[in-house]
Amino acid sequence: MAKRSEEELDWELRKASIVGLGERSVRKNYYPQLRQNMERLQRFHTLLDYTSDFVVLISMPDGLISDANAAFAQLLGVNVDDIIGQPFNAQSFCKDCQQVIDLLHRDMVVSHKHFSNRNHSLVSQSGDDSSPKWLELSFKIASVDRHRYGVLVGRDVTERKRNEVLMNKLLSEKAALLDNALVGIAGVRNRFFESCNRRFEEMLGYPPGKLQGQSTRIMYQEDDTYTALGDAAYRSMKHGQKYTARVMLRRADGSEFLCEITGQLNDPSHPELGSIWMFNDVNELKLAEDKALFLSHHDVLTKLPNYQLLKDRLSQAVSLVSLSGKQVALVVIDIDRFKTINDSLGYGVGNQVLVQVAERILNEISDVDTVSRQGGDEFLLLLPAESMTDECLPIISRLMAKLAEPYFVADTELRLSVSVGIALSPDDGDEFEILLKKADMAMYRAKSEGRDTYRFFNAEMSYEATEQLNIRVGLRKALELNQFQLFYQPQLDINTGRLVGAEALIRWFHPEFGMVSPAHFIPVAEASGLIVAIGDWVLQEACREVARWRDAGMPNPVVAVNLSALQFARGNIEQAVSDAVADAGILPQMLELELTESIMIHNTERVLATVKRLKQKGFVFTIDDFGTGYSSLQYLKRFEVDKLKIDQSFVRDIIDDEDDAAIVRAIVQIAKGLGLKTIAEGVETAEIMALLQQYQCDEVQGYYLARPMSASQFMTYLKQHCSP
């Protein structure tokens, strides 16, 4: 036997000494320590019972519950003593109890005889499926007196789990909302993109995720724009205000577009936290606005200044030369027999000729002169500072010679001549309308004297005035003798072809001269004030006729009547309209009142108030010949109209003229944006009809559908189109 070491001998001696003390020594030393340990154990058990987490001691490997605190018993709804010694995996509080036992068994195998420091965590669902409860469990292996136990600690995390689910749902909804937003949205910090939605990436032409982390400098063409906008924006936003601006931004391919941007700091008290920005692409809208604004001042076909712009420039020119002793010349240039070109070669060829005429006039005048297309084949020329009458002659002679040179259109050589009339201010007047009237008189004198010549206005040109006087006298008799008659042009729904109404058009059947064109007598009626009485007659007759349509079975019949600016200025239009409807026994909705832009720009506030009162009574309003007048969009915002009528000058050539097509599309787009209907006049072919339908125009009228017809003819037409 090997010799024992000194340590072993020392232990034997100490053990014998302890044993030798006997029973008295045990009581003296062991029981106080045991009591202290028991008290400590009791305090620890009390502590476990008062904690919100539940604790379970599971003996291994049999999986029986050795001990548990009050929280665990409360979870099961039993007393602690009732579950001591019960199999843990038989408890119903947790769907993963067996998984806990399996993991504890695995740890026993892995840890062998050593204490296991493995700490497992899992979230388990308990309760029924209708109201699940989520528990977070942690467990490990521990050895006590060479016996192994699984220590399970758990807590109720149902509220946290619900909050996580809700938060994930909100984050998903937020992401979906941002990615499907119609505007670009970006988070910016220190002028770098922190985040952005898909719309913003598409707007700038970048692939997903490419913008994040990039400098905002990539949106701008120039450093100066980048710096100036940034300084202005953050100077405004640091006080808690929003910053809004319209700026040209650059796409990934280098192209530019107009964008409306709005930015705001996330927290004004902490600018370093960054800002949020919204980007709205207004490029197409701006182009449409610019186009419409241009059209409100220019002729659609020739792009020349229109009537109103020329009128403004003449007024300025007259004011400038009033003290200088110089003169202002207003020149009317009318193409001789131009109707023959339209009738024989078509309006398309005629329009091309008009464009070439405009170009030739522009090439022969100076920068201070203004040329305008008055309408049809008539042009106006403003020469703003002529010293004497004879100074006009070289310009007029040069123009007439240039316009007489051959035109080559559609493989056809054409030759034209023009008749020219000239009025001078201040000798012939200083107002545009007076000068235009006298220049027209001079032009008609040139035509009457053989055409292809010019004439200055003079006092002998009284036969035009006499003619107007005869018309004026004839108009009074026409009212008394019932020489006026209303014709009706059908208006159809473009998609269904359903008859929705008709426009009332006045005709004058003179016993001596036959039918007198409205183009001749309407201006005289307006100049004389007779248009008020004539307008009242039209309202009364149109209302009586639409009542007949209703009685004939037409569903929701509507008759459209043009109103004159003079009816608003001199007549009691509100009373006249109300009386016409009441006398005919119809609803206000059956009368559609067409306003020209000249009505809206004269005495705007009074007209606006009248329109609002009539709207409240149920009357329907349309802006006639939309886009051909002055400042259409300015007044469109203020007048609560229901429909825009697209002028036939835009409609006739939309097949061949892309500018006309773009104009019609823009008008329809503007109308839809404002919740208005559109009706196109001058529909003469099936191709035009199809294109208007493609543009989503609502209603149409024109020779392709039906010509204006008498009341009896329209009644026949109505019965054919409204029969069941």
Side-chain angles (χ1 to χ4, degrees):
M1 180 180 290
K3 187 176 180 180
R4 290 188 297 178
S5 66
E6 294 181 1
E7 291 183 2
E8 291 176 338
L9 292 174
D10 183 61
W11 165 244
E12 290 293 335
L13 292 173
R14 286 190 295 111
K15 184 172 67 171
S17 175
I18 292 171
V19 172
L21 291 176
E23 185 177 332
R24 182 183 301 173
S25 178
V26 171
R27 287 197 303 268
K28 181 179 181 180
N29 295 287
Y30 178 72
Y31 282 115
Q33 182 65 41
L34 177 61
R35 181 178 179 181
Q36 183 179 359
N37 289 342
M38 290 295 294
E39 290 175 351
R40 180 181 177 189
L41 181 61
Q42 184 64 34
R43 287 195 303 271
F44 185 69
H45 207 284
T46 301
L47 176 64
L48 288 180
D49 280 342
Y50 278 93
T51 184
S52 59
D53 291 355
F54 60 83
V55 182
V56 185
L57 191 66
I58 306 170
S59 65
M60 300 301 296
D62 53 18
L64 301 179
I65 298 175
S66 296
D67 205 349
N69 68 344
F72 186 66
Q74 184 178 2
L75 175 69
L76 297 182
V78 298
N79 294 321
V80 173
D81 294 339
D82 294 339
I83 59 174
I84 300 300
Q86 298 295 320
F88 175 76
N89 58 5
Q91 307 306 314
S92 62
F93 80 99
C94 171
K95 293 184 177 180
D96 298 312
C97 289
Q98 186 58 49
Q99 183 181 354
V100 173
I101 296 298
D102 293 342
L103 288 172
L104 291 174
H105 274 295
R106 189 192 68 184
D107 279 359
M108 287 179 60
V109 174
V110 173
S111 61
H112 298 293
K113 298 180 180 181
H114 302 289
F115 178 80
S116 173
N117 289 319
R118 298 174 184 272
N119 188 1
H120 301 280
S121 294
L122 60 89
V123 177
S124 177
Q125 186 177 355
S126 70
D128 55 44
D129 293 337
S130 61
S131 57
K133 181 178 290 187
W134 291 90
L135 308 174
E136 186 178 70
L137 309 176
S138 298
F139 46 92
K140 63 175 63 176
I141 292 292
S143 294
V144 179
D145 292 336
R146 298 183 180 182
H147 188 79
R148 293 189 180 184
Y149 295 90
V151 181
L152 173 68
V153 179
R155 62 183 57 89
D156 188 340
V157 294
T158 303
E159 191 63 27
R160 188 186 76 186
K161 187 69 175 178
R162 288 173 180 168
N163 289 338
E164 288 177 356
V165 172
L166 178 60
M167 182 61 66
N168 289 334
K169 182 176 181 291
L170 291 175
L171 290 175
S172 298
E173 291 176 351
K174 177 185 176 183
L177 180 63
L178 291 177
D179 282 338
N180 289 282
L182 297 178
V183 297
I185 303 174
V188 176
R189 187 172 184 178
N190 296 326
R191 303 204 77 175
F192 283 83
F193 292 115
E194 282 193 324
S195 62
C196 64
N197 68 344
R198 185 68 195 116
R199 172 60 183 149
F200 184 58
E201 294 171 328
E202 293 171 348
M203 193 181 295
L204 291 184
Y206 286 94
K210 184 66 174 179
L211 282 174
Q212 193 166 347
Q214 296 277 358
S215 168
T216 57
R217 171 65 181 83
I218 64 174
M219 295 190 300
Y220 305 95
Q221 293 282 16
E222 305 292 339
D223 287 333
D224 291 345
T225 306
Y226 166 72
T227 302
L229 188 138
D231 293 344
Y234 289 100
R235 185 167 54 249
S236 174
M237 292 192 302
K238 71 179 181 181
H239 299 297
Q241 300 173 341
K242 289 183 180 180
Y243 178 78
T244 300
R246 280 191 174 187
V247 62
M248 296 299 294
L249 298 184
R250 182 181 66 179
R251 296 187 180 93
D253 60 6
S255 62
E256 286 188 318
F257 68 102
L258 185 66
C259 193
E260 187 173 79
I261 62 175
T262 301
Q264 188 173 22
L265 291 175
N266 293 323
D267 185 351
S269 60
H270 295 283
E272 70 278 2
L273 297 179
S275 54
I276 188 72
W277 290 82
M278 289 190 294
F279 300 81
N280 188 17
D281 186 346
V282 295
N283 207 55
E284 290 298 325
L285 177 61
K286 183 62 167 59
L287 291 176
E289 289 177 349
D290 291 345
K291 191 82 172 179
L293 182 61
F294 178 85
L295 292 176
S296 70
H297 294 83
H298 293 79
D299 173 56
V300 176
L301 178 64
T302 63
K303 309 302 184 290
L304 294 176
N306 66 4
Y307 174 93
Q308 188 63 44
L309 184 54
L310 182 73
K311 181 179 178 180
D312 292 344
R313 291 184 180 179
L314 183 138
S315 177
Q316 296 171 18
V318 169
S319 299
L320 290 173
V321 302
S322 60
L323 301 177
S324 67
K326 294 186 177 183
Q327 298 183 102
V328 174
L330 182 62
V331 182
V332 175
I333 303 171
D334 189 88
I335 302 174
D336 297 327
R337 300 184 179 90
F338 187 75
K339 185 175 183 297
T340 305
I341 296 177
N342 282 336
D343 292 344
S344 59
L345 300 178
Y347 286 101
V349 172
N351 285 342
Q352 293 181 54
V353 172
L354 292 174
V355 171
Q356 292 188 31
V357 169
E359 292 173 350
R360 293 187 186 189
I361 298 175
L362 281 172
N363 291 334
E364 296 299 323
I365 63 176
S366 68
D367 292 338
V368 297
D369 303 330
T370 300
V371 59
S372 168
R373 182 181 175 221
Q374 173 72 358
D377 58 349
E378 188 171 284
F379 294 83
L380 300 182
L381 176 60
L382 173 64
L383 306 176
E386 302 300 326
S387 298
M388 57 179 53
T389 301
D390 290 344
E391 288 191 7
C392 295
L393 294 181
I395 300 174
I396 300 302
S397 298
R398 189 170 66 248
L399 268 176
M400 293 181 69
K402 190 68 177 179
L403 295 176
E405 294 178 1
Y407 297 81
F408 296 92
V409 181
D411 299 326
T412 303
E413 179 179 340
L414 300 173
R415 290 185 178 271
L416 304 177
S417 66
V418 294
S419 297
V420 179
I422 308 156
L424 300 172
S425 177
D427 293 348
D428 298 328
D430 55 8
E431 294 184 5
F432 178 77
E433 286 78 7
I434 294 175
L435 289 172
L436 179 58
K437 177 181 178 180
K438 293 183 176 181
D440 266 332
M441 288 183 183
M443 183 269 293
Y444 283 115
R445 172 63 64 88
K447 282 188 177 294
S448 68
E449 295 184 359
R451 298 183 176 88
D452 193 19
T453 188
Y454 65 87
R455 290 291 182 268
F456 286 89
F457 173 80
N458 59 55
E460 296 178 359
M461 297 177 182
S462 59
Y463 74 95
E464 291 90 350
T466 302
E467 181 183 1
Q468 289 190 1
L469 179 59
N470 290 334
I471 291 177
R472 185 179 305 177
V473 173
L475 286 174
R476 292 188 183 277
K477 290 184 178 180
L479 274 173
E480 297 171 2
L481 302 176
N482 295 321
Q483 293 175 358
F484 290 120
Q485 185 176 340
L486 288 186
F487 274 45
Y488 302 90
Q489 186 169 33
Q491 298 175 331
L492 307 181
D493 183 286
I494 196 169
N495 293 314
T496 64
R498 180 177 60 86
L499 178 65
V500 295
E503 181 181 9
L505 303 169
I506 191 169
R507 298 289 186 265
W508 180 13
F509 290 91
H510 194 281
E512 182 179 352
F513 304 117
M515 192 182 78
V516 182
S517 170
H520 285 90
F521 72 83
I522 291 297
V524 176
E526 290 182 336
S528 64
L530 286 171
I531 193 67
V532 176
I534 294 174
D536 289 347
W537 176 86
V538 170
L539 285 169
Q540 291 284 344
E541 183 61 26
C543 288
R544 284 192 291 267
E545 191 60 29
V546 77
R548 297 185 187 104
W549 302 347
R550 177 198 59 197
D551 297 338
M554 181 178 177
N556 303 316
V558 176
V559 64
V561 174
N562 286 277
L563 297 181
S564 166
L566 211 60
Q567 288 176 270
F568 279 84
R570 296 187 184 179
N572 188 349
I573 187 64
E574 187 174 355
Q575 188 64 45
V577 169
S578 299
D579 289 346
V581 168
D583 292 345
I586 65 171
L587 297 174
Q589 294 87 342
M590 297 165 66
L591 178 60
E592 183 177 306
L593 303 173
E594 295 192 357
L595 307 176
T596 61
E597 293 178 76
S598 61
I599 294 176
M600 295 185 288
I601 65 176
H602 292 98
N603 202 354
T604 302
E605 297 306 323
R606 177 182 174 185
V607 174
L608 180 59
T610 300
V611 170
K612 285 186 175 180
R613 287 193 296 270
L614 289 173
K615 281 284 292 181
Q616 291 173 353
K617 293 179 180 179
F619 290 95
V620 180
F621 283 88
T622 296
I623 294 184
D624 192 22
D625 301 336
F626 178 76
T628 61
Y630 185 64
S631 300
S632 303
L633 296 181
Q634 176 184 354
Y635 294 101
L636 184 60
K637 292 180 180 179
R638 301 189 64 191
F639 286 82
E640 298 178 2
V641 299
D642 305 278
K643 190 187 301 182
L644 302 183
K645 176 174 279 191
I646 306 172
D647 188 65
Q648 58 185 341
S649 62
F650 302 152
V651 175
R652 284 174 177 165
D653 296 309
I654 59 175
I655 299 297
D656 302 315
D657 192 324
E658 180 55 36
D659 285 344
D660 281 353
I663 291 163
V664 173
R665 288 196 301 268
I667 292 175
V668 172
Q669 183 182 17
I670 290 171
K672 288 191 177 298
L674 296 173
L676 309 178
K677 284 189 174 183
T678 50
I679 179 170
E681 63 178 358
V683 179
E684 298 181 354
T685 66
E687 291 80 5
I688 293 176
M689 180 82 164
L691 200 55
L692 288 170
Q693 190 171 28
Q694 179 181 331
Y695 293 166
Q696 297 183 349
C697 183
D698 299 301
E699 299 172 2
V700 284
Q701 70 180 83
Y703 283 5
Y704 171 70
L705 304 165
R707 291 176 176 269
M709 55 191 75
S710 66
S712 59
Q713 291 171 331
F714 185 83
M715 185 63 73
T716 302
Y717 178 91
L718 182 153
K719 291 177 179 178
Q720 292 172 348
H721 285 75
C722 294
S723 58

PDB file of all heavy atoms in Angstrom, residues 702-717:
ATOM      1  N   GLY A 702     -72.289  69.050 -84.912  1.00  0.00           N
ATOM      2  CA  GLY A 702     -71.635  69.409 -86.165  1.00  0.00           C
ATOM      3  C   GLY A 702     -72.332  68.785 -87.348  1.00  0.00           C
ATOM      4  O   GLY A 702     -73.246  67.957 -87.219  1.00  0.00           O
ATOM      5  N   TYR A 703     -71.883  69.159 -88.548  1.00  0.00           N
ATOM      6  CA  TYR A 703     -72.530  68.722 -89.778  1.00  0.00           C
ATOM      7  C   TYR A 703     -72.470  67.207 -89.967  1.00  0.00           C
ATOM      8  O   TYR A 703     -73.329  66.622 -90.613  1.00  0.00           O
ATOM      9  CB  TYR A 703     -71.884  69.410 -90.978  1.00  0.00           C
ATOM     10  CG  TYR A 703     -72.324  70.850 -91.157  1.00  0.00           C
ATOM     11  CD1 TYR A 703     -73.157  71.465 -90.222  1.00  0.00           C
ATOM     12  CD2 TYR A 703     -71.909  71.599 -92.250  1.00  0.00           C
ATOM     13  CE1 TYR A 703     -73.561  72.778 -90.372  1.00  0.00           C
ATOM     14  CE2 TYR A 703     -72.303  72.923 -92.421  1.00  0.00           C
ATOM     15  CZ  TYR A 703     -73.129  73.502 -91.474  1.00  0.00           C
ATOM     16  OH  TYR A 703     -73.525  74.797 -91.637  1.00  0.00           O
ATOM     17  N   TYR A 704     -71.434  66.565 -89.417  1.00  0.00           N
ATOM     18  CA  TYR A 704     -71.360  65.100 -89.543  1.00  0.00           C
ATOM     19  C   TYR A 704     -72.544  64.443 -88.842  1.00  0.00           C
ATOM     20  O   TYR A 704     -73.035  63.389 -89.275  1.00  0.00           O
ATOM     21  CB  TYR A 704     -70.049  64.594 -88.949  1.00  0.00           C
ATOM     22  CG  TYR A 704     -69.967  63.080 -88.841  1.00  0.00           C
ATOM     23  CD1 TYR A 704     -69.864  62.274 -89.978  1.00  0.00           C
ATOM     24  CD2 TYR A 704     -70.021  62.457 -87.592  1.00  0.00           C
ATOM     25  CE1 TYR A 704     -69.816  60.898 -89.876  1.00  0.00           C
ATOM     26  CE2 TYR A 704     -69.973  61.082 -87.478  1.00  0.00           C
ATOM     27  CZ  TYR A 704     -69.867  60.301 -88.629  1.00  0.00           C
ATOM     28  OH  TYR A 704     -69.816  58.943 -88.516  1.00  0.00           O
ATOM     29  N   LEU A 705     -73.011  65.064 -87.781  1.00  0.00           N
ATOM     30  CA  LEU A 705     -74.108  64.492 -87.001  1.00  0.00           C
ATOM     31  C   LEU A 705     -75.460  65.009 -87.490  1.00  0.00           C
ATOM     32  O   LEU A 705     -76.379  64.233 -87.718  1.00  0.00           O
ATOM     33  CB  LEU A 705     -73.915  64.840 -85.524  1.00  0.00           C
ATOM     34  CG  LEU A 705     -72.560  64.399 -84.945  1.00  0.00           C
ATOM     35  CD1 LEU A 705     -72.309  65.083 -83.621  1.00  0.00           C
ATOM     36  CD2 LEU A 705     -72.519  62.894 -84.786  1.00  0.00           C
ATOM     37  N   ALA A 706     -75.562  66.314 -87.650  1.00  0.00           N
ATOM     38  CA  ALA A 706     -76.817  66.917 -88.132  1.00  0.00           C
ATOM     39  C   ALA A 706     -76.593  68.403 -88.323  1.00  0.00           C
ATOM     40  O   ALA A 706     -75.905  69.058 -87.535  1.00  0.00           O
ATOM     41  CB  ALA A 706     -77.955  66.678 -87.137  1.00  0.00           C
ATOM     42  N   ARG A 707     -77.183  68.942 -89.389  1.00  0.00           N
ATOM     43  CA  ARG A 707     -77.137  70.380 -89.629  1.00  0.00           C
ATOM     44  C   ARG A 707     -78.225  71.068 -88.800  1.00  0.00           C
ATOM     45  O   ARG A 707     -79.181  70.417 -88.355  1.00  0.00           O
ATOM     46  CB  ARG A 707     -77.351  70.671 -91.117  1.00  0.00           C
ATOM     47  CG  ARG A 707     -76.198  70.223 -92.003  1.00  0.00           C
ATOM     48  CD  ARG A 707     -76.511  70.450 -93.474  1.00  0.00           C
ATOM     49  NE  ARG A 707     -75.372  70.106 -94.314  1.00  0.00           N
ATOM     50  CZ  ARG A 707     -74.415  70.974 -94.676  1.00  0.00           C
ATOM     51  NH1 ARG A 707     -74.505  72.233 -94.283  1.00  0.00           N
ATOM     52  NH2 ARG A 707     -73.399  70.586 -95.423  1.00  0.00           N
ATOM     53  N   PRO A 708     -78.120  72.382 -88.619  1.00  0.00           N
ATOM     54  CA  PRO A 708     -79.210  73.105 -87.957  1.00  0.00           C
ATOM     55  C   PRO A 708     -80.513  72.920 -88.735  1.00  0.00           C
ATOM     56  O   PRO A 708     -80.515  72.894 -89.966  1.00  0.00           O
ATOM     57  CB  PRO A 708     -78.731  74.560 -87.984  1.00  0.00           C
ATOM     58  CG  PRO A 708     -77.242  74.468 -88.082  1.00  0.00           C
ATOM     59  CD  PRO A 708     -76.970  73.260 -88.922  1.00  0.00           C
ATOM     60  N   MET A 709     -81.619  72.785 -88.024  1.00  0.00           N
ATOM     61  CA  MET A 709     -82.900  72.511 -88.681  1.00  0.00           C
ATOM     62  C   MET A 709     -84.007  73.311 -88.010  1.00  0.00           C
ATOM     63  O   MET A 709     -83.877  73.739 -86.852  1.00  0.00           O
ATOM     64  CB  MET A 709     -83.195  71.017 -88.638  1.00  0.00           C
ATOM     65  CG  MET A 709     -83.183  70.408 -87.244  1.00  0.00           C
ATOM     66  SD  MET A 709     -83.221  68.579 -87.244  1.00  0.00           S
ATOM     67  CE  MET A 709     -81.536  68.197 -87.734  1.00  0.00           C
ATOM     68  N   SER A 710     -85.073  73.492 -88.752  1.00  0.00           N
ATOM     69  CA  SER A 710     -86.215  74.237 -88.214  1.00  0.00           C
ATOM     70  C   SER A 710     -86.862  73.454 -87.079  1.00  0.00           C
ATOM     71  O   SER A 710     -86.566  72.275 -86.864  1.00  0.00           O
ATOM     72  CB  SER A 710     -87.237  74.492 -89.322  1.00  0.00           C
ATOM     73  OG  SER A 710     -87.800  73.255 -89.760  1.00  0.00           O
ATOM     74  N   ALA A 711     -87.778  74.118 -86.384  1.00  0.00           N
ATOM     75  CA  ALA A 711     -88.438  73.481 -85.237  1.00  0.00           C
ATOM     76  C   ALA A 711     -89.184  72.228 -85.659  1.00  0.00           C
ATOM     77  O   ALA A 711     -89.133  71.193 -84.976  1.00  0.00           O
ATOM     78  CB  ALA A 711     -89.383  74.473 -84.564  1.00  0.00           C
ATOM     79  N   SER A 712     -89.888  72.280 -86.786  1.00  0.00           N
ATOM     80  CA  SER A 712     -90.646  71.107 -87.233  1.00  0.00           C
ATOM     81  C   SER A 712     -89.712  69.985 -87.659  1.00  0.00           C
ATOM     82  O   SER A 712     -89.961  68.804 -87.378  1.00  0.00           O
ATOM     83  CB  SER A 712     -91.568  71.491 -88.386  1.00  0.00           C
ATOM     84  OG  SER A 712     -90.821  72.003 -89.481  1.00  0.00           O
ATOM     85  N   GLN A 713     -88.615  70.349 -88.343  1.00  0.00           N
ATOM     86  CA  GLN A 713     -87.649  69.326 -88.745  1.00  0.00           C
ATOM     87  C   GLN A 713     -86.995  68.687 -87.521  1.00  0.00           C
ATOM     88  O   GLN A 713     -86.758  67.479 -87.486  1.00  0.00           O
ATOM     89  CB  GLN A 713     -86.582  69.952 -89.645  1.00  0.00           C
ATOM     90  CG  GLN A 713     -87.097  70.379 -91.010  1.00  0.00           C
ATOM     91  CD  GLN A 713     -86.067  71.195 -91.774  1.00  0.00           C
ATOM     92  OE1 GLN A 713     -85.230  71.887 -91.184  1.00  0.00           O
ATOM     93  NE2 GLN A 713     -86.129  71.114 -93.096  1.00  0.00           N
ATOM     94  N   PHE A 714     -86.710  69.505 -86.519  1.00  0.00           N
ATOM     95  CA  PHE A 714     -86.085  68.957 -85.317  1.00  0.00           C
ATOM     96  C   PHE A 714     -87.045  68.032 -84.581  1.00  0.00           C
ATOM     97  O   PHE A 714     -86.623  67.025 -84.012  1.00  0.00           O
ATOM     98  CB  PHE A 714     -85.627  70.078 -84.384  1.00  0.00           C
ATOM     99  CG  PHE A 714     -84.872  69.574 -83.180  1.00  0.00           C
ATOM    100  CD1 PHE A 714     -83.521  69.280 -83.262  1.00  0.00           C
ATOM    101  CD2 PHE A 714     -85.520  69.353 -81.969  1.00  0.00           C
ATOM    102  CE1 PHE A 714     -82.836  68.794 -82.164  1.00  0.00           C
ATOM    103  CE2 PHE A 714     -84.835  68.869 -80.874  1.00  0.00           C
ATOM    104  CZ  PHE A 714     -83.484  68.592 -80.979  1.00  0.00           C
ATOM    105  N   MET A 715     -88.332  68.347 -84.594  1.00  0.00           N
ATOM    106  CA  MET A 715     -89.301  67.483 -83.929  1.00  0.00           C
ATOM    107  C   MET A 715     -89.323  66.113 -84.591  1.00  0.00           C
ATOM    108  O   MET A 715     -89.396  65.074 -83.920  1.00  0.00           O
ATOM    109  CB  MET A 715     -90.683  68.121 -83.963  1.00  0.00           C
ATOM    110  CG  MET A 715     -91.735  67.339 -83.190  1.00  0.00           C
ATOM    111  SD  MET A 715     -91.373  67.219 -81.407  1.00  0.00           S
ATOM    112  CE  MET A 715     -91.728  68.910 -80.903  1.00  0.00           C
ATOM    113  N   THR A 716     -89.219  66.081 -85.925  1.00  0.00           N
ATOM    114  CA  THR A 716     -89.148  64.802 -86.645  1.00  0.00           C
ATOM    115  C   THR A 716     -87.873  64.059 -86.263  1.00  0.00           C
ATOM    116  O   THR A 716     -87.889  62.843 -86.007  1.00  0.00           O
ATOM    117  CB  THR A 716     -89.176  65.044 -88.162  1.00  0.00           C
ATOM    118  OG1 THR A 716     -90.371  65.746 -88.495  1.00  0.00           O
ATOM    119  CG2 THR A 716     -89.121  63.731 -88.910  1.00  0.00           C
ATOM    120  N   TYR A 717     -86.770  64.802 -86.220  1.00  0.00           N
ATOM    121  CA  TYR A 717     -85.479  64.210 -85.846  1.00  0.00           C
ATOM    122  C   TYR A 717     -85.559  63.648 -84.423  1.00  0.00           C
ATOM    123  O   TYR A 717     -85.069  62.545 -84.143  1.00  0.00           O
ATOM    124  CB  TYR A 717     -84.402  65.287 -85.949  1.00  0.00           C
ATOM    125  CG  TYR A 717     -83.011  64.847 -85.556  1.00  0.00           C
ATOM    126  CD1 TYR A 717     -82.129  64.327 -86.504  1.00  0.00           C
ATOM    127  CD2 TYR A 717     -82.564  64.954 -84.239  1.00  0.00           C
ATOM    128  CE1 TYR A 717     -80.854  63.938 -86.146  1.00  0.00           C
ATOM    129  CE2 TYR A 717     -81.295  64.563 -83.868  1.00  0.00           C
ATOM    130  CZ  TYR A 717     -80.434  64.064 -84.826  1.00  0.00           C
ATOM    131  OH  TYR A 717     -79.163  63.675 -84.482  1.00  0.00           O
TER     132      TYR A 717
END
